[in-house]
């Protein structure tokens, strides 16, 4: 949940001059400055140690009580991919004779060596994060209720007394060459060490220390999205019209207008060009302009225009509109989506929709509040360019709506993540046919969640 954070006052360290901080993150607030992963105060407002994203770069910095930077690492490359998990490891050992080796930063297993700004700690310089009686803030600035981390964190390890290398926490996949997680690293945590999983919604960490933290700002929300199985979210970087931009939060699973008059379009971050795919959406707010469905994410509609969306369904009329590959207008004219139970296939504020698309047979299936609204409706003759796999078109969930004052359209998407916004799905829940995801209602047989384990089948 936005503005949720954890705090703990550290005890006597195993070794104040050595530590490792390892975490996997999936960003949502791209371009926002001062997004804190952790922040620690020395006890003075002017002295701190922190790891944060500032605009797009990554900063690891130690500032003394006089406000002077003792040492820092500021990357000179940007981290703007909000569709993937990123592994960050910082290793501190001020006992080393070579100054440059005393603080090392690794991204996805590779040591960062090029920085826009860099300085080294003096030998045997103490850290703040591992100082007795210092207070660490996870996900927020230490000195005020601001500068919250935007996104999701998982497998966060703090190691007191040892500076580990990335090989303790991950390895390179021999087939893909990608950096992948080790879910059970063999490490010694030391007195102040802790281990947080994305699934841990209590206030006690998972390390042998079982340290108790204080929760602030909201509730901890479990998500199925994780470094071993990346789930679709909404993509704030895909903007068809630069001056009319939607708003996103809850780890980019909620999309909404921003009180600016104009048509808006939002897209999922993962797409497919074959197979059967399923997602859910809860209509927080819905007016007559709202349309939900699918769109291409590698070939969005031509031109600087938000109005011509992909294959979407009008809420108040059940009208199917558009096409997926770039079109300059609706082609052909809108047609009525049949309702399985008779009447209009419509939906409104407060409804939960299950949305299924079969890209092999060119059909869509829609459920409303767990019951079929339309089943295997064919769009094959409606728009022959919808799939167009020869063009490399990848199809993702999407929404299209008119934004005005009052934000009349707001959507909580569940791509199998197991939440609607900050609301955790509890009680009876369902998975797809491949055993992936957590859904409020049962997906149709053989339809799959938008996640990397399913995309790799």
């Amino acid at each position: 949940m936005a503005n949720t954070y954890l705090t703990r006052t550290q005890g006597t360290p195993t070794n104040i001059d050595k530590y490792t901080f390892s975490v996997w993150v999936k960003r949502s607030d791209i371009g926002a400055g001062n997004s804190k992963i952790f922040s620690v105060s020395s006890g003075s407002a002017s002295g701190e140690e922190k790891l944060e994203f500032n605009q797009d770069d990554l900063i690891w910095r130690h500032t003394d009580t006089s406000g002077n930077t003792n040492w820092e690492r500021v990357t000179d490359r940007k981290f703007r991919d909000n569709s993937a998990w990123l592994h960050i490891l910082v290793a501190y050992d001020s006992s080393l004779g070579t100054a440059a080796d005393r603080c090392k930063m690794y991204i996805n297993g590779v040591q960062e060596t090029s920085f826009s700004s860099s300085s080294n700690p003096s030998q045997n310089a103490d850290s703040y994060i591992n100082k007795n009686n210092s207070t660490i803030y996870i996900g927020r600035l230490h000195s005020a209720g601001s500068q919250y981390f935007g996104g999701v964190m998982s497998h966060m390890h703090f190691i007191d007394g040892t500076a580990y290398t990335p090989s303790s926490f991950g390895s390179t996949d021999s087939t893909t060459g990608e950096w992948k997680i080790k879910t059970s690293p063999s490490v010694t945590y030391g007195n102040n060490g802790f281990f947080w999983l994305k699934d841990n919604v209590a206030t006690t960490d998972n390390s042998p220390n079982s340290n108790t933290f204080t929760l602030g700002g909201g509730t901890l929300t479990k998500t199925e999205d994780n470094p071993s199985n990346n789930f679709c979210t909404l993509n704030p970087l895909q903007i068809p019209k630069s001056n009319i931009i939607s708003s996103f939060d809850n780890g980019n699973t909620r999309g909404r207008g921003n009180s600016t008059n104009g048509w808006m379009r939002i897209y999922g971050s993962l797409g497919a060009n074959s197979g059967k795919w399923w997602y859910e959406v809860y209509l927080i707010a819905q007016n007559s302009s709202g349309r939900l469905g699918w769109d291409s994410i590698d070939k969005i509609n031509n031109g600087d225009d938000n109005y011509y969306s992909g294959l979407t369904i009008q809420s108040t009329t059940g009208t199917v509109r558009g096409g997926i590959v770039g079109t300059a207008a609706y082609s052909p004219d809108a047609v009525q989506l049949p309702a399985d139970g008779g009447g209009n296939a419509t939906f409104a504020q407060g409804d939960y929709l299950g949305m299924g698309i079969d890209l092999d047979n060119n059909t869509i299936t829609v459920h409303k509040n767990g019951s079929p609204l339309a089943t295997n409706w064919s769009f094959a003759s409606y728009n022959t360019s919808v799939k167009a796999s020869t063009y490399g078109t990848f199809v993702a969930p999407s929404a299209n709506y008119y934004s005005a004052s009052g934000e009349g359209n707001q959507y909580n998407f569940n791509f199998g993540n197991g939440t609607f916004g900050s609301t955790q799905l509890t009680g009876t829940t369902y998975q797809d046919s491949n055993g992936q995801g957590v859904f409020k209602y049962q997906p149709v047989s053989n339809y799959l969640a938008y996640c990397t384990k399913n995309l790799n089948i």
Side-chain angles (χ1 to χ4, degrees):
M1 179 178 178
N3 299 348
T4 300
Y5 63 96
L6 294 164
T7 65
R8 177 180 183 268
T9 300
Q10 303 284 56
T12 302
T14 298
N15 188 333
I16 195 172
D17 296 338
K18 294 183 182 181
Y19 74 82
T20 306
F21 190 92
S22 171
V23 65
W24 289 79
V25 301
K26 186 174 181 179
R27 297 190 66 192
S28 61
D29 58 350
I30 304 301
N34 302 314
S35 180
K36 294 289 189 294
I37 298 173
F38 76 72
S39 178
V40 186
S41 171
S42 68
S44 167
S46 58
E48 70 169 341
E49 191 166 344
K50 63 185 178 182
L51 179 66
E52 68 176 349
F53 288 101
N54 184 19
Q55 301 302 325
D56 302 314
D57 50 6
L58 182 62
I59 295 175
W60 179 29
R61 177 178 290 153
H62 185 285
T63 306
D64 67 20
T65 55
S66 298
N68 301 310
T69 298
N70 282 15
W71 50 264
E72 67 180 357
R73 297 286 188 264
V74 182
T75 64
D76 59 2
R77 64 180 174 126
K78 307 300 182 183
F79 298 92
R80 292 179 56 80
D81 187 353
N82 58 6
S83 66
W85 286 85
L86 183 75
H87 181 224
I88 303 169
L89 183 143
V90 292
Y92 182 81
D93 183 352
S94 63
S95 70
L96 296 176
T98 303
D101 290 340
R102 294 171 192 158
C103 54
K104 297 179 180 179
M105 177 187 290
Y106 300 84
I107 306 297
N108 289 339
V110 179
Q111 184 178 352
E112 291 289 299
T113 58
S114 179
F115 300 97
S116 62
S117 180
S118 177
S119 56
N120 301 312
S122 58
Q123 193 164 22
N124 299 319
D126 293 345
S127 66
Y128 289 160
I129 191 174
N130 207 15
K131 182 181 178 181
N132 187 30
N133 290 324
S134 68
T135 301
I136 181 172
Y137 285 73
I138 302 296
R140 201 201 83 174
L141 176 66
H142 61 82
S143 60
S146 62
Q147 300 183 20
Y148 296 94
F149 177 77
V152 184
M153 301 188 200
S154 186
H155 285 266
M156 177 189 293
H157 300 267
F158 176 69
I159 310 298
D160 166 13
T162 309
Y164 285 101
T165 62
S167 61
S168 295
F169 304 94
S171 62
T172 301
D173 189 282
S174 58
T175 301
T176 65
E178 295 178 341
W179 185 249
K180 63 181 181 181
I181 191 172
K182 286 184 179 179
T183 55
S184 300
S186 179
V187 295
T188 300
Y189 286 91
N191 293 342
N192 284 325
F194 55 81
F195 169 31
W196 279 99
L197 277 165
K198 68 172 183 61
D199 293 345
N200 188 3
V201 293
T203 53
T204 302
D205 85 273
N206 296 90
S207 77
N209 292 329
S210 298
N211 289 310
T212 299
F213 284 68
T214 299
L215 174 65
T219 58
L220 294 173
T221 304
K222 176 182 179 294
T223 174
E224 295 302 298
D225 199 352
N226 67 81
S228 298
N229 190 15
N230 188 21
F231 276 74
C232 184
T233 53
L234 299 172
N235 185 1
L237 295 180
Q238 190 146 22
I239 305 168
K241 198 166 186 177
S242 59
N243 63 333
I244 303 179
I245 303 173
S246 297
S247 297
F248 303 89
D249 50 25
N250 294 119
N252 289 341
T253 59
R254 180 169 77 149
R256 54 194 173 90
N258 62 8
S259 299
T260 300
N261 291 334
W263 282 94
M264 295 188 170
R265 295 164 61 196
I266 55 178
Y267 311 81
S269 60
L270 296 180
N273 63 0
S274 63
K276 299 179 179 181
W277 302 95
W278 192 265
Y279 72 92
E280 293 180 329
V281 59
Y282 173 66
L283 311 182
I284 309 169
Q286 178 72 62
N287 62 31
S288 59
S289 73
R291 307 163 188 168
L292 287 159
W294 303 264
D295 210 335
S296 58
I297 55 175
D298 56 341
K299 279 183 171 290
I300 63 174
N301 289 340
N302 296 328
D304 186 19
D305 199 332
N306 281 342
Y307 185 65
Y308 298 119
S309 67
L311 186 72
T312 56
I313 305 163
Q314 186 94 25
S315 61
T316 54
T317 62
T319 304
V320 180
R321 297 177 175 270
I324 288 179
V325 173
T327 53
Y330 294 134
S331 175
D333 293 335
V335 296
Q336 188 75 29
L337 181 74
D340 285 359
N344 293 326
T346 60
F347 45 89
Q349 181 173 325
D351 284 336
Y352 291 88
L353 298 183
M355 307 286 289
I357 188 166
D358 182 344
L359 294 171
D360 297 324
N361 298 294
N362 297 328
T363 64
I364 60 175
T365 295
V366 180
H367 285 192
K368 181 169 73 173
N369 301 322
S371 299
L373 189 63
T375 302
N376 294 331
W377 182 83
S378 176
F379 56 76
S381 60
Y382 173 60
N383 188 331
T384 57
S385 66
V386 164
K387 183 179 148 188
S389 60
T390 57
Y391 294 102
T393 298
F394 285 82
V395 175
S398 72
N400 183 217
Y401 50 89
Y402 189 86
S403 175
S405 59
E407 297 185 351
N409 294 278
Q410 298 186 42
Y411 305 105
N412 274 343
F413 286 82
N414 175 26
F415 302 105
N417 319 64
T419 63
F420 287 100
S422 61
T423 302
Q424 189 83 52
L425 287 178
T426 58
T428 302
T429 57
Y430 303 90
Q431 293 182 301
D432 68 18
S433 298
N434 196 32
Q436 301 299 322
V438 172
F439 293 93
K440 182 176 178 63
Y441 297 105
Q442 180 64 63
V444 174
S445 180
N446 296 322
Y447 282 76
L448 304 179
Y450 280 89
C451 65
T452 50
K453 283 192 175 180
N454 285 335
L455 288 167
N456 288 335
I457 293 176

